[in-house]
Amino acid sequence: MISASGGLYRLCWCASGFDCDAEESFKVDLGSLSLIGPTLGQTRTCVTGQTCYEDGIRGHLLTGNDAVMVLETCGTRSSVEGFPSAGLVQAAGASGSAFNWGSVVLSAMGGRYRLCWCSSSFVCSIEEDYGLDFGELRVLGRSEVTQATCVSGQTCRITGILAEYSSSSDMFMVLETCGNADSSGVVPGFPSAGFGITAESSGAGVSWGAL
C-alpha cells in the first residue's frame, strides 16, 4: 500500500542494461504522477466534553466524499471509545479539507489518536479500509478514570490526576451525574456547590477545603 503524501510527482525512466541503482540514473522525465490523498504529518486538537470540528486539512485532489476515522492504529480494528459514530466521519466538507463529528460532544479520554483516511474512490465501510495514517488528533482532557476517596468531616484533596495537556486553570465539580444542568445534580455538603479549588500542578490535583 502506498503511504506517501498526496501530491504531484514525476515519473522518471532508466533504460534496461544500464546502472539503475541510484536516483541519479533516472534522468528521463516521462511525465507526472498525480497521487490523490492528504498531506502526511498533520496535527489537530479537540477537547473532550466539546464538539469536534477540524478544517484546513491539506492534501491533493481531496473531495467531499472522502472519509476520515479516528483510530488507535490506522487500518486495524482499534476504534476510540467516546467518539461520535465510533470516530467515523462519512462525508467531508469544503472539498475534503474539513471534517465534522457533529453536534454530539466527545466523551473520549484525553490522549493522542490517529487520523485515518479513505478515498471516495474505494469502499470505506470498515476500520481496515482506513489504512492511511495522515496525522495525529490530540484530545485534551483526563486520560484516566479517577477513582478518588475523601472522608466527610475532613478536608478533601485529590492528587495524581492523569491528563493529556492539562492546565492549572482546569476546573472540577462534584455532581451526581456529569453534565446534569439540574440543581438535583449538585451534591449537598460540598463547599462552593461542589466546585473544586483551582487545579494544582498543571491540573494534576484539586481540593475542596473543609467538608
Side-chain angles (χ1 to χ4, degrees):
M1 186 186 73
I2 298 172
S3 59
S5 286
L8 196 61
Y9 300 101
R10 308 309 303 170
L11 281 173
C12 307
W13 180 78
C14 178
S16 174
F18 290 84
D19 182 9
C20 299
D21 294 331
E23 292 93 331
E24 292 83 357
S25 303
F26 293 80
K27 298 177 181 179
V28 179
D29 187 327
L30 289 185
S32 64
L33 172 66
S34 184
L35 184 62
I36 299 170
T39 303
L40 303 187
Q42 302 185 59
T43 301
R44 295 294 185 272
T45 301
C46 287
V47 181
T48 190
Q50 306 292 329
T51 57
C52 185
Y53 171 80
E54 300 297 344
D55 61 2
I57 303 296
R58 304 184 307 278
H60 182 64
L61 299 180
L62 302 178
T63 75
N65 292 320
D66 295 338
V68 166
M69 181 178 269
V70 177
L71 295 170
E72 294 279 0
T73 304
C74 292
T76 67
R77 295 188 179 184
S78 56
S79 59
V80 178
E81 186 177 351
F83 253 87
S85 303
L88 173 64
V89 173
Q90 285 288 357
S95 297
S97 66
F99 297 94
N100 190 344
W101 279 269
S103 59
V104 179
V105 300
L106 306 186
S107 60
M109 287 292 171
R112 301 185 178 193
Y113 306 106
R114 307 314 302 172
L115 288 168
C116 309
W117 182 83
C118 182
S119 168
S120 60
S121 301
F122 295 86
V123 176
C124 304
S125 59
I126 59 175
E127 293 164 329
E128 287 87 340
D129 296 329
Y130 295 78
L132 183 68
D133 183 328
F134 73 92
E136 179 178 82
L137 179 65
R138 298 176 179 177
V139 176
L140 310 189
R142 305 295 103 188
S143 58
E144 184 177 277
V145 176
T146 300
Q147 301 293 337
T149 301
C150 288
V151 179
S152 190
Q154 305 295 326
T155 58
C156 181
R157 182 170 183 264
I158 300 170
T159 59
I161 299 172
L162 299 179
E164 183 78 9
Y165 304 103
S166 59
S167 165
S168 59
S169 61
D170 290 349
M171 298 184 69
F172 296 84
M173 189 176 189
V174 177
L175 294 169
E176 294 281 0
T177 304
C178 291
N180 189 343
D182 254 340
S183 59
S184 60
V186 176
V187 179
F190 263 85
S192 304
F195 277 105
I197 296 173
T198 303
E200 309 163 4
S201 305
S202 298
V206 60
S207 60
W208 282 270
L211 301 184

